[in-house]
Amino acid sequence: MIVGGWRPAEVVDVVDASSHARVLRVRVTDWPGNDAGQHIDIRLTAEDGYQAERSYSVGSYGAGDIIELAVDEVPDGEVSPYLVRDVAVGDQLEVKGPLGGYFVWRAGGVVPVQLIAGGSGIVPLRAIARAMSDAGVAASGRLLYFVRTPEDAIYRDELTRDAEAGGVPVTWAYTRGAPDGWQGRVGRLDDSGIAAASWRPDDEPLVFVCGPTRFVEHVADTLVRLGHPASSIRTERFGGA
Amino acid sequence: MAVFSRGFGARRRDTDPHLPPGQYLTEDFPVLSAGPTPRIDTDEWSFSIRNEHGEVVSWDWAQLMDMSIEDVSTDIHCVTRWSKLGTSWRGVSIDTLMAQVETDAQFAMAHSYGGYTTNIPFEDLLDGKAWVAFEFDGEPLDPEHGGPARLLVPHLYFWKSAKWVNGLVLMDEDAPGFWEQNGYNMHGDPWTEERYW
Ligand SMILES: Cc1cc2nc3c(=O)[nH]c(=O)nc-3n(C[C@H](O)[C@H](O)[C@H](O)COP(=O)(O)OP(=O)(O)OC[C@H]3O[C@@H](n4cnc5c(N)ncnc54)[C@H](O)[C@@H]3O)c2cc1C
């Protein structure tokens, strides 16, 4: 892990990811590179000096001074609506990091790997899926991604394209509405649904679960019930009740 | 020198003199931990303190409940930047437990069910600064917040307030616990923003 002080950063690219989420690319001065799964702190400063800081995962990994973020809007939030609605190419902010040395996967790390995301929890798992593909072990990864509807998914096209090109296979779980022609169920996945989309405890996977607090609680409890040892389940909770 | 973010600040939160730098107020009680939530029954729960000579004193749930219990009203601050003001807890002070333990140690490692550890300078646990807490807001502490009992060290970032706590190991020398090995500060004072290495 490298932290360092606040580094100036500039927004170089913004792409809508859904009606309420956006992928941002940010050039960070003297960025030392980051491991897949790490996060940063962002500091925003208003003209009058007022400041706010929040944590965001990095969807990219490795060297280079441009990092990728994906932010989902919390409607009554202070920072995320600004990042999703207002920030534009050329705008400035500050970044501290990379942060975290636990919710990470590095080339040569344990396989198989089970990735389970809810909503914006996909961001660090996207980086891990990328790192696994680059390390040639995508077939040892499985990604289970919970979204309300297909339109709510961040990285929807990239994940599908990568999976078709030999990247980490994706199982979609729709909690509110599925695409036309969807054969599977819609709604919260039960134990057998999660088991069917995941490596078995006998395969001894390392499991990464990320998303809103309640989602992570539910999935982690289910995994323990399915027989995964707690010590092989890593969680990152993004907040919310 | 800070850079300005064009157009930021429209939805600013209230500031409050009780908020350490870089923190914002929350009304919910967010959850943070590294893995699944352990679920421990009070009849299997125990808490022990081991001194630097290896001598151990242990308490079970009933013994803890028989000790002098304190009401604690305090602000809490998480390294992920939320703070909650005026929270209320009940617990047994570490001073009360230490009345049965002899030590000259300078440091403590808190241990938890589930394997979590966090290191704390021993003086930060004494003189009314820390408790083994088992009630929050008048209710038994929820498992996801560390129930049946957690350490409460409110003057440090909340990762030091180990959930599902089951013991302290007193040490002559400091050593990093779980998050400390993974990038968090060895001490964790919110007022001086001791967040990371
Ligand atoms: C390590 C880490 C990594 C994170 N990575 C990402 C990321 O990659 N992408 C991303 O979009 N977010 C991420 N988050 C969440 C992010 O830090 C903010 O909490 C989120 O953007 C809301 O901030 P806000 O200022 O808009 O809302 P706030 O003003 O902080 O909060 C407004 C209300 O929303 C609730 N709330 C806060 N966060 C959430 C949430 N995630 N879901 C639902 N309700 C919430 C609060 O409890 C509060 O009631 C991460 C959080 C952590 C701790």
Side-chain angles (χ1 to χ4, degrees):
Chain A
M1 195 187 81
I2 305 177
V3 188
W6 291 103
R7 305 170 199 266
E10 180 178 326
V11 177
V12 295
D13 188 30
V14 296
V15 184
D16 287 341
S18 77
S19 60
H20 47 79
R22 207 148 80 156
V23 172
L24 304 176
R25 285 186 191 81
V26 177
R27 179 181 293 116
V28 186
T29 305
D30 297 326
W31 184 246
N34 66 281
D35 286 324
Q38 286 188 297
H39 65 278
I40 56 169
D41 282 353
I42 286 186
R43 180 162 78 181
L44 300 173
T45 305
E47 299 289 337
D48 63 358
Y50 172 82
Q51 295 185 319
E53 302 170 10
R54 295 289 186 278
S55 299
Y56 290 95
S57 296
V58 185
S60 52
Y61 82 102
D65 62 352
I66 295 184
I67 59 172
E68 184 177 295
L69 310 171
V71 180
D72 203 10
E73 182 175 8
V74 172
D76 59 346
E78 175 181 5
V79 168
S80 61
Y82 174 77
L83 295 175
V84 173
R85 305 265 164 223
D86 302 337
V87 89
V89 170
D91 285 348
Q92 310 286 315
L93 42 84
E94 289 171 292
V95 163
K96 182 181 282 194
L99 302 170
Y102 180 68
F103 199 83
V104 297
W105 187 89
R106 300 182 187 92
V110 173
V111 287
V113 172
Q114 179 67 44
L115 306 172
I116 305 183
S120 57
I122 190 64
V123 182
L125 303 187
R126 172 81 182 118
I128 293 175
R130 281 180 166 140
M132 292 189 75
S133 293
D134 293 346
V137 295
S140 300
R142 294 184 74 175
L143 168 63
L144 171 57
Y145 186 9
F146 285 81
V147 289
R148 274 174 292 186
T149 73
E151 294 74 35
D152 292 304
I154 299 174
Y155 295 126
R156 183 180 168 201
D157 296 341
E158 292 95 316
L159 290 170
T160 306
R161 212 184 313 119
D162 278 11
E164 283 166 5
V168 170
V170 189
T171 304
W172 296 93
Y174 300 105
T175 57
R176 302 256 176 92
D180 289 344
W182 177 252
Q183 302 291 316
R185 52 176 283 151
V186 173
R188 197 155 129 153
L189 270 200
D190 56 11
D191 290 18
S192 61
I194 291 177
S198 306
W199 293 102
R200 294 170 306 136
D202 286 352
D203 303 317
E204 299 183 8
L206 183 58
V207 189
F208 292 86
V209 187
C210 187
T213 298
R214 217 192 314 262
F215 168 82
V216 171
E217 281 295 301
H218 170 70
V219 172
D221 284 351
T222 303
L223 292 166
V224 170
R225 208 160 44 231
L226 290 172
H228 292 271
S231 58
S232 66
I233 304 168
R234 300 191 179 186
T235 58
E236 184 118 282
R237 294 166 171 87
F238 275 9
Chain B
M1 231 280 298
V3 299
F4 294 112
S5 297
R6 185 195 53 83
F8 173 69
R11 305 193 191 207
R12 67 188 59 195
R13 295 286 184 247
D14 292 340
T15 49
D16 187 302
H18 295 102
L19 277 184
Q23 298 293 114
Y24 67 96
L25 272 179
T26 179
E27 301 298 327
D28 329 317
F29 196 165
V31 176
L32 254 127
S33 39
T37 294
R39 295 201 156 61
I40 317 300
D41 273 350
T42 51
D43 45 4
E44 46 175 306
W45 184 90
S46 77
F47 183 85
S48 60
I49 299 180
R50 188 169 87 204
N51 71 9
E52 67 274 32
H53 311 296
E55 293 151 7
V56 179
V57 184
S58 296
W59 298 265
D60 64 16
W61 192 259
Q63 288 167 325
L64 188 79
M65 294 302 130
D66 274 347
M67 301 183 79
S68 143
I69 292 170
E70 298 178 12
D71 288 303
V72 184
S73 175
T74 185
D75 303 339
I76 57 177
H77 312 289
C78 178
V79 70
T80 66
R81 304 186 180 284
W82 56 265
S83 291
K84 232 173 136 52
L85 303 183
T87 59
S88 52
W89 305 79
R90 273 162 71 79
V92 172
S93 157
I94 298 295
D95 298 312
T96 306
L97 298 167
M98 282 307 297
Q100 300 178 36
V101 180
E102 270 190 39
T103 186
D104 294 311
Q106 303 290 311
F107 298 94
M109 186 73 79
H111 288 257
S112 297
Y113 290 97
Y116 181 77
T117 54
T118 188
N119 57 308
I120 305 157
F122 194 43
E123 62 177 16
D124 280 293
L125 295 175
L126 299 177
D127 300 327
K129 292 201 284 285
W131 295 263
V132 173
F134 47 80
E135 260 185 50
F136 173 74
D137 244 357
E139 301 284 341
L141 192 57
D142 275 343
E144 65 180 46
H145 293 303
R150 74 182 298 162
L151 204 58
L152 178 65
V153 197
H155 71 291
L156 299 178
Y157 282 126
F158 222 41
W159 90 80
K160 297 288 185 181
S161 293
K163 297 179 184 182
W164 315 296
V165 73
N166 64 7
L168 296 176
V169 172
L170 306 179
M171 316 180 290
D172 288 324
E173 281 175 29
D174 204 4
F178 176 78
W179 286 123
E180 293 80 11
Q181 289 168 37
N182 286 290
Y184 283 179
N185 192 275
M186 292 291 273
H187 184 226
D189 181 348
W191 294 95
T192 54
E193 289 206 73
E194 291 175 335
R195 295 178 193 276
Y196 314 116
W197 288 337

